[in-house]
Amino acid sequence: MGIAHPTKLYNSDRWTSYIGYKASSLNGTETRHREKHGVTFEEAAEVFFDPFYQEGDATSNNYEERDFIIGYSLSQRLLLVAYLERYGRNRIVSARPATRAERKLYEQA
């Protein structure tokens, strides 16, 4: 599954869009998230292009069906990204460096 690097289509303070991937940055959400976890939405989107990524269900409530993906960014950081699908696009909800247990899950697959 060789997919190329994400192509940036549009970038502003409000939205960063990728082909098939959208990350919202409303009301400073991206800034707060980057300060807390050290991961930008752009880096989180790169995980979808790791040919060896692992996916799973991240739904915690019955409100929205969420999934997660574990994979490497282009900076060679192993990240866990929670996302949901809306209108045929993946919306990134959260991203952070993978824990030891998550790293093991990725490496065992």
Side-chain angles (χ1 to χ4, degrees), residues 12-79:
S12 74
D13 291 337
R14 184 177 170 132
W15 297 104
T16 301
S17 298
Y18 291 88
I19 297 173
Y21 304 101
K22 184 184 282 184
S24 79
S25 175
L26 300 173
N27 301 322
T29 301
E30 182 177 6
T31 303
R32 287 191 311 270
H33 190 271
R34 185 178 40 227
E35 289 171 359
K36 182 176 180 181
H37 298 290
V39 180
T40 64
F41 283 122
E42 290 85 1
E43 184 179 13
E46 295 170 359
V47 171
F48 289 89
F49 297 94
D50 177 354
F52 304 108
Y53 70 79
Q54 301 297 313
E55 289 185 289
D57 183 25
T59 305
S60 61
N61 299 338
N62 294 331
Y63 300 110
E64 290 182 316
E65 189 174 316
R66 294 183 179 188
D67 295 308
F68 72 85
I69 183 171
I70 301 173
Y72 279 98
S73 69
L74 295 176
S75 303
Q76 295 302 305
R77 294 200 318 158
L78 188 62
L79 304 176

